[in-house]
Structures are given as structure tokens and as C-alpha cells.
Amino acid sequence: MNVENIHWLGHDSFRIEDRGKQIYIDPWKLSKNTPKADYIFVTHSHYDHFSLEDIEKITENDTYIIGPPDVA
């Protein structure tokens, strides 16, 4: 993976492109045209790490969401 495949989205939010997959970490304050996610990792339940609004923007039927029990 190249550094060009890692995108800082602000605050603690990142998008990683790897082998055609879109991986998000703590998506927050995403734009409307953000690519859909294959995987979403949520580190904890604080609003700026676990934003249901932003998760809904990038989720499709086959998106995997991974996080601790308090965000399940």
C-alpha cells in the first residue's frame, strides 16, 4: 500500500483505499460525494468517532461495520 492510498478526512477520520476496497476509520463530517465503504471501523462511542449520520452516508448492504460492543 502506498501513502497516497491513505486519506485524512479531518479530526481522527481516515479513508484507506486498498486493492479496490474503501476502508474508513471513525468517519465524521463526510461530504455527500464520499465513496461508499466496504469496511467501517469505529474506535469508540464518542460522537466524533461514532457518527450514525456519516456511517449512513457511506454504508451499502454489503458494508462491514466493526467496533467495540458499545457501538454495536
Side-chain angles (χ1 to χ4, degrees):
M1 178 183 335
N2 296 323
V3 173
E4 296 87 31
N5 296 354
I6 302 172
H7 307 276
W8 178 61
L9 304 175
H11 191 54
D12 289 327
S13 184
F14 291 87
R15 179 173 58 88
I16 301 167
E17 298 173 62
D18 188 37
R19 299 177 201 152
K21 300 291 185 186
Q22 299 293 327
I23 304 162
Y24 287 83
I25 301 169
D26 293 341
W28 190 55
K29 293 196 175 189
L30 301 177
S31 64
K32 292 180 183 177
N33 60 349
T34 303
K36 297 295 184 182
D38 294 290
Y39 299 92
I40 301 171
F41 291 89
V42 179
T43 59
H44 60 283
S45 63
H46 291 169
Y47 71 95
D48 54 345
H49 296 265
F50 177 48
S51 168
L52 285 175
E53 177 183 339
D54 290 294
I55 289 171
E56 289 173 357
K57 287 180 188 177
I58 57 174
T59 300
E60 295 185 306
N61 289 336
D62 57 350
T63 300
Y64 291 94
I65 302 173
I66 299 99
D70 63 339
V71 301

